């Protein structure tokens, strides 16, 4: 692959598994130095595996523990990365989780937990990233002063019964992304979202763990295959590269057609 991100520093949150790890690997292949963020000591071995797999392919990565919902930890992560590598060029705001419940049984704790990681975490990381982009300005490594990719979901537009906290968090990401893209476009900062459909990761293990579950899931995907983390990682590299220099404030759906109302497929 061409070194489209050569010499750039990328922080990928929640990169010890799934889509975050996929984005980190693809960005490292494209020449970026990647910070593999993970939330707790329990995740350190998985993050170390991602670092090792990147190094084995000749890439450069470090692991960094930080809970993105905690302001002091996020500020420390950005300060430490800037101290070590000089700056941050790319943020992939990927960390996210689910705590599902029927709406009338959803506890305030479940609601707050999901919103604190999926939405407040994106706010805290984007704010630190933009502060650094504004401080540094355009530096010759890219046409932009900085790029942010927010990991949204098809559930920024598709309602999802039993997942009100998750759907609300992704709906929030949608307008957070658009608002800060509008606010900082004049400063040559580009901010976009990726909305994955069903990607085969630990978060949705129950949807693909048996042949029957997978068949059921494929009914929702016109392309009739479950997505892989590389599908998202490659889209993230493109969005972060100068090939996407005129792309700003938009959501790229990478979903095998999940948002094409698959229920209407055989109803023409
Ligand atoms: P995943 O569970 O493998 O990844 C989520 C990562 O976030 C984990 O590594 C976890 O440790 C990390 N994380 C959780 N809380 C954190 C915190 N407080 N601070 C830092 N990191 C934290 O699942 P995934 O599918 O790779 O999910 C990644 C993102 O993609 C999420 O935002 C999710 O909502 C989104 N997404 C996934 C799918 C899918 O089908 N897999 C679809 C749409 C959107």
């Amino acid at each position: 692959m061409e070194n489209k991100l050569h010499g750039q520093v990328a922080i990928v949150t929640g990169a010890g598994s799934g889509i975050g790890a996929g984005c980190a690997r693809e960005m490292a292949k494209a020449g970026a130095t990647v910070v593999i963020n993970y939330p707790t000591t329990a995740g350190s071995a998985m993050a170390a595996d991602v670092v090792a797999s990147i190094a084995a392919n000749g890439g450069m990565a470090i692991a960094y523990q930080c809970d993105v919902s905690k302001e002091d930890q996020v500020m420390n992560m950005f300060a430490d990365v800037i101290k070590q590598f000089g700056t941050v060029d790319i943020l992939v705001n990927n960390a996210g989780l689910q705590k599902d419940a029927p709406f009338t049984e959803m506890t305030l704790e479940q609601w707050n937990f999901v919103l604190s990681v999926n939405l407040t975490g994106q706010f805290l990381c984007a704010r630190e990233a933009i502060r650094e982009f504004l401080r540094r300005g355009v530096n010759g490594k890219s046409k932009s002063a900085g790029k942010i990719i927010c990991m949204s979901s098809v559930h920024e537009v598709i309602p999802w019964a039993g997942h009100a906290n998750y759907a609300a968090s992704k709906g929030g990401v949608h307008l957070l992304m658009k608002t800060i893209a509008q606010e900082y476009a004049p400063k040559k900062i580009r901010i976009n979202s990726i909305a994955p459909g069903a990607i085969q990761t630990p978060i949705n293990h129950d949807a693909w763990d048996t042949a029957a579950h997978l068949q059921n899931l494929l009914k929702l995907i016109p392309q009739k295959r479950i997505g892989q983390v590389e599908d998202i990682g490659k889209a993230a590299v493109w969005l972060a590269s100068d090939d996407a220099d005129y792309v700003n404030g938009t959501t790229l759906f990478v979903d095998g057609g999940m948002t094409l109302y698959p229920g209407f497929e055989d109803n023409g």
Side-chain angles (χ1 to χ4, degrees):
M1 182 187 277
E2 288 174 72
N3 272 0
K4 290 187 185 244
L5 305 180
H6 180 69
Q8 299 188 45
V9 179
I11 294 180
V12 183
T13 66
S17 64
I19 289 172
C23 289
R25 283 193 290 263
E26 294 299 327
M27 287 195 164
K29 273 194 225 164
T33 294
V34 186
V35 177
I36 308 298
N37 160 255
Y38 64 99
T40 60
T41 45
S44 64
M46 274 162 42
D49 283 350
V50 179
V51 170
S53 72
I54 287 173
N57 279 318
M60 170 62 195
I62 64 158
Y64 195 101
Q65 184 182 335
C66 156
D67 178 338
V68 298
S69 69
K70 302 285 190 299
E71 185 175 31
D72 55 339
Q73 293 187 29
V74 170
M75 293 180 81
N76 286 340
M77 174 170 71
F78 276 82
D80 287 347
V81 170
I82 291 163
K83 197 167 162 202
Q84 184 169 350
F85 297 113
T87 192
V88 174
D89 301 279
I90 299 162
L91 166 67
V92 183
N93 242 342
N94 168 77
L97 42 76
Q98 290 177 219
K99 287 286 166 207
D100 307 331
F103 187 63
T104 49
E105 288 163 30
M106 187 172 287
T107 63
L108 179 59
E109 193 184 6
Q110 288 172 321
W111 172 267
N112 282 340
F113 187 44
V114 170
L115 270 289
S116 74
V117 176
N118 295 14
L119 186 55
T120 306
Q122 293 218 14
F123 155 68
L124 290 171
C125 292
R127 192 184 60 177
E128 290 318 299
I130 293 171
R131 284 174 174 166
E132 171 59 10
F133 300 162
L134 292 173
R135 183 198 66 75
R136 172 176 40 72
V138 178
N139 63 357
K141 286 191 280 179
S142 166
K143 290 179 180 168
S144 300
K147 285 87 51 154
I148 299 177
I149 295 159
C150 300
M151 206 53 69
S152 183
S153 164
V154 289
H155 297 295
E156 75 168 41
V157 293
I158 302 178
W160 202 14
H163 306 75
N165 47 5
Y166 184 84
S169 74
K170 297 301 184 180
V173 165
H174 176 66
L175 272 180
L176 170 67
M177 178 279 287
K178 281 193 175 288
T179 299
I180 57 179
Q182 184 192 58
E183 200 164 330
Y184 292 102
K187 301 292 184 188
K188 295 197 182 302
I189 294 169
R190 290 193 302 109
I191 305 167
N192 293 285
S193 287
I194 294 177
I199 310 298
Q200 192 164 15
T201 74
I203 209 173
N204 55 8
H205 180 259
D206 294 352
W208 50 263
D209 58 345
T210 67
H213 289 163
L214 183 61
Q215 275 316 309
N216 212 30
L217 177 67
L218 294 183
K219 288 182 197 153
L220 298 175
I221 309 172
Q223 224 168 306
K224 302 301 171 208
R225 80 163 169 90
I226 189 167
Q228 299 302 320
V229 297
E230 293 76 19
D231 293 313
I232 307 300
K234 289 184 166 99
V237 168
W238 178 73
L239 272 178
S241 78
D242 281 350
D243 287 349
D245 186 52
Y246 209 49
V247 181
N248 208 346
T250 198
T251 298
L252 177 60
F253 285 81
V254 183
D255 68 353
M258 192 178 243
T259 36
L260 298 175
Y261 296 92
F264 283 80
E265 220 172 54
D266 53 5
N267 201 18

